[in-house]
Amino acid sequence: MSAVKQTLDAVRPHLVLILSALMLAIGIVGLWTAYDLRSADAAQNLAVVDEDATAAVQSEVSRALVSVLSYDYSDPTPTEQAADEVLAGDAREEYDKLFASLQERAPGQQLVLTAQVQVAAVKTLTDDSAELLVFLDQSSQRASDQEASVSAAQLAVDAEKVGGVWKVTGLTPL
Amino acid sequence: MIDQVESADEAEHDIEETPEPPRTPRWRRYALPAVAAVVLVVGVFLWWRAATDEQVSLAQTRDEVLIAATQNIETMNTLDYREVDAGLDAWLDVTTGTLHDQLAQVGDEERQLLADQKKISTGKVVDAAVFSVDEEKATVVASVEVTVKDDASPDEEPTIKRNRFTSDLVYVDGTWLLESLEQVAVNIS
C-alpha cells in the first residue's frame, strides 16, 4: 500500500472537518479582504468618484464663498445675511472680525468687493464633511479715490453638511 | 483482487480507529459544513464585489494621480542654473504630448540663457486636488510656492511666489505624465 493511500485513509474520517475548516478559512480571508479594500483611506474618500456629491459640494461652497466675499458699502446687508447662512465654526468667528473691520473703513472708501470662483476642486469628501482647494479672484473698487485692484486667492476650505446644507467651517488662505 | 484486499484493509482499519461510530445527531453533523459553505460563498462574493468595484479602483487611481501630479508639478517648477541640462531632462521625464515636444525643442541658446540668469528655482506644492479623473486622463489643480534664489545678487533674500496651476495628466506606460501645465490667471473685470 502506498504512502498516499495510507495518508488518505487516516484523513478520511476527518475529511468533513478539514474541508469545513478550509471553506471557513477562505471565506474569512474573503470577508477580511473585502473589508480591507472598502475601508482603505482611498475608498472612504468620495471626492471626484461620487460625481453627484462632488458637484453638489463644489457648487454650494463656491456660491457660499462668492456671497460672503462680495461686498457693497452701500448695501452690506446681503453679505451679512450670507455669512449667517453659509458660515459656521472657526470660519464664522474669523469672518466676523474681518467683517467688522470692513464695516469701519468701507463707507469712507466707498468700497465694493466682487468675488468670483475660478476653480473649486474637492480633496476629500465624506457624507458630511469635505475639504476643497479653491482658486478665487477678488476685485476691489474704491469709489473714493477711483482705485481698483484685483487679487488672486488660493484658499483651503473646510466644509460640513449641517441639516442637508454645506456650510463653510474653515477658510485658510494659502 | 486488489479491491478485496483494500476493502478488507479498510474494514480492519475502521475497527481499529473507531470501534464505535459516534452517534451525533444528523443536524449536528451537517451544521459545521453548512455554516462553512455559507461563509465561503458570502466571503468570496464580497471579496469579488470589492475587488471589481469601479468606485474603489477609481478612488485608488485618484490618489495615485495626486501623488504623481504633486511630484511632477514640483519638478516643473524647479531648475538650477548650474545644472540646466539635468533640470531639462527631469522636465522631459515628467511630461508627454505637446508639452514634452515643446520642452524637447529647447535649444543650446536657450539653455545658455537659463544658465546665465543664475537663478535657482525650487517648487513646492502647498496644496493640490484632483478635479477630474478616469483610468487614462486626469485634471489636477495645485497651489505652488516657488522660491527663487538669484545667485547674480547673492546678498538678496530669495523671492517667494505663490502660483495657481491647472494641469492635465495622461497615463503612459504605467506612469502619470503632465500633458499641460498652465497658470490659472486672474479673470475678473
Side-chain angles (χ1 to χ4, degrees), chain B residues 59-80:
Chain B
Q60 280 170 356
T61 306
R62 176 201 58 211
D63 289 5
E64 286 162 22
V65 164
L66 194 62
I67 292 167
T70 300
Q71 287 172 350
N72 294 355
I73 291 172
E74 286 183 349
T75 302
M76 291 297 294
N77 280 285
T78 301
L79 190 72
D80 188 330

Side-chain angles (χ1 to χ4, degrees), chain A residues 1 12 16-17 20 26-27 30 33-34 38 42 45 47-49 114 116 118 121 123 135-137 150 152-154 174, chain B residues 9-10 32-33 36 39-40 43 46-47 50 53 55 59 62-63 127-131 141-143 162 164 186-188:
Chain A
M1 187 193 276
R12 191 160 298 150
V16 169
L17 198 66
S20 297
I26 294 171
T33 312
R38 291 192 185 278
N45 178 2
V48 189
V49 297
T114 313
Q116 188 178 312
Q118 291 282 353
K123 285 183 286 182
F135 293 165
L136 179 134
D137 295 346
V150 187
Q154 303 162 49
L174 296 171
Chain B
D9 196 85
E10 224 167 58
L32 179 63
V39 170
L40 175 74
L46 290 180
W47 184 352
D53 188 313
Q55 199 162 308
R62 176 201 58 211
D63 289 5
D127 204 358
V130 175
F131 188 75
V141 295
S143 169
R162 283 289 168 91
R164 317 188 292 189
V186 175
N187 181 22
I188 191 172

